[in-house]
């Protein structure tokens, strides 16, 4: 059985947390490994913005699609059957091209980089990250956000509550290992190629579905 012993000065007085899960050895191991790399915090890498939480009374069948955490995955945004009034929410935050969407409530730590600007509104449970440094590429940051490096930090921060909630103040302090920009470009190219092939595969599956449906009808 693995256990972890902490002094008061290294635990509650430093972090303000008393839940034992926060001090599991796996988190110490992660931070030890991160010391090998140059690092930056998310707050140093990107600006963080939060959208609106209109409440269910504002939901309607026509208008601007309202994107919730259930509509977000690391592969993209799914269609939402919930809409908001375009006039009432004219000033609400819209995700722009290269914005990284990051979930902070419920299923925390899901990240997706917007390939194009979309006329949708996201819930307040989804943060908008915009890169503000030349040292980090959006595709690279998105990959790290979806990796075990950040997943463990999210698990540690949000694990003390019954309903998972990752505070923006905690997200700002998440540590990101920074690889040389040449490596980041290679990673970004691979990611873009992967998304392109995934799109082509989905297109072929859709074609096959239509062929089968037409054959059945005939």
């Amino acid at each position: 059985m693995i256990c972890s012993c902490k002094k008061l000065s290294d635990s509650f007085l430093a972090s303000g947390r008393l839940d034992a899960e926060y001090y599991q050895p796996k988190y110490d191991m992660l931070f030890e490994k991160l010391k090998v790399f140059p690092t930056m915090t998310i707050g140093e890498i990107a600006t963080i913005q939060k959208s609106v939480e209109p409440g269910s009374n504002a939901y309607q069948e026509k208008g601007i699609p309202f994107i919730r955490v259930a509509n977000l995955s690391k592969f993209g945004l799914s269609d939402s059957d919930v809409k908001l009034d375009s006039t009432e929410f004219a000033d609400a935050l819209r995700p722009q091209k290269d914005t990284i969407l990051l979930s902070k409530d419920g299923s925390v730590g899901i990240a997706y980089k917007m390939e194009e600007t979309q006329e949708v509104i996201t819930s307040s449970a989804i943060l908008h990250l915009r890169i503000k440094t030349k040292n980090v590429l959006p595709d690279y940051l998105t990959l790290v956000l979806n990796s075990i490096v950040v997943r463990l930090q999210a698990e540690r921060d949000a694990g003390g509550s019954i309903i998972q909630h990752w505070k923006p103040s905690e997200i700002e302090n998440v540590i990101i290992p920074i690889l040389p920009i040449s490596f980041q470009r290679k990673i970004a190219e691979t990611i873009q190629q992967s998304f392109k092939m995934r799109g082509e595969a989905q297109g072929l599956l859709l074609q096959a579905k239509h062929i089968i449906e037409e054959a059945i009808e005939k």
Side-chain angles (χ1 to χ4, degrees), residues 24-55:
Q24 293 183 65
K26 62 181 177 180
Y27 304 133
D28 292 332
M29 292 172 61
L30 170 66
F31 292 120
E32 280 299 317
K33 289 182 180 297
L34 285 174
K35 289 179 181 179
V36 177
F37 301 93
T39 59
M40 296 176 71
T41 64
I42 288 180
E44 294 170 331
I45 295 171
T47 59
I48 301 176
Q49 291 179 289
K50 186 174 74 169
S51 189
V52 298
E53 192 53 58

Side-chain angles (χ1 to χ4, degrees), residues 1-216:
M1 181 178 178
I2 299 176
C3 63
S4 177
C5 297
K6 298 283 185 181
K7 295 179 180 178
L8 184 63
S9 58
D10 296 329
S11 55
F12 178 72
L13 294 181
S15 65
R17 298 283 291 264
L18 280 174
D19 46 307
E21 292 82 3
Y22 188 85
Y23 302 103
Q24 293 183 65
K26 62 181 177 180
Y27 304 133
D28 292 332
M29 292 172 61
L30 170 66
F31 292 120
E32 280 299 317
K33 289 182 180 297
L34 285 174
K35 289 179 181 179
V36 177
F37 301 93
T39 59
M40 296 176 71
T41 64
I42 288 180
E44 294 170 331
I45 295 171
T47 59
I48 301 176
Q49 291 179 289
K50 186 174 74 169
S51 189
V52 298
E53 192 53 58
S56 58
N57 291 336
Y59 295 177
Q60 53 188 42
E61 295 181 356
K62 294 183 179 180
I64 299 177
F66 182 54
I67 302 298
R68 295 169 290 180
V69 174
N71 303 114
L72 175 67
S73 79
K74 61 183 179 181
F75 299 113
L77 304 179
S78 63
D79 294 334
S80 174
D81 57 357
V82 176
K83 308 293 192 298
L84 297 177
D85 182 80
S86 58
T87 302
E88 183 179 354
F89 294 94
D91 297 329
L93 190 64
R94 269 73 160 172
Q96 305 297 305
K97 180 177 168 34
D98 288 335
T99 294
I100 300 170
L101 302 181
L102 178 67
S103 62
K104 71 175 186 68
D105 296 328
S107 299
V108 302
I110 301 170
Y112 171 68
K113 191 204 82 172
M114 296 295 297
E115 297 300 322
E116 299 292 342
T117 297
Q118 288 191 30
E119 186 62 9
V120 298
I121 296 174
T122 61
S123 81
S124 61
I126 300 174
L127 300 177
H128 292 219
L129 277 58
R130 296 285 294 178
I131 301 291
K132 63 181 181 181
T133 174
K134 295 180 179 179
N135 297 325
V136 180
L137 299 179
D139 281 306
Y140 172 75
L141 178 58
T142 305
L143 180 69
V144 178
L145 288 173
N146 283 316
S147 74
I148 192 171
V149 171
V150 172
R151 189 160 63 246
L152 282 175
Q153 295 182 69
E155 178 186 291
R156 185 180 79 141
D157 290 338
S161 55
I162 297 174
I163 299 175
Q164 285 200 320
H165 173 69
W166 203 9
K167 298 177 184 177
S169 59
E170 294 170 332
I171 293 171
E172 286 181 349
N173 291 317
V174 166
I175 298 173
I176 303 295
I178 307 300
L179 296 182
I181 199 69
S182 59
F183 284 18
Q184 292 187 41
R185 289 195 183 99
K186 290 180 180 178
I187 290 170
E189 289 172 3
T190 302
I191 291 171
Q192 289 299 318
Q193 184 65 22
S194 173
F195 270 90
K196 181 182 177 181
M197 293 174 67
R198 188 172 187 270
E200 291 173 351
Q202 289 177 330
L204 290 172
L205 285 172
L206 191 59
Q207 288 179 25
K209 179 184 176 183
H210 288 160
I211 291 171
I212 293 170
E213 288 174 348
E214 289 177 1
I216 292 173

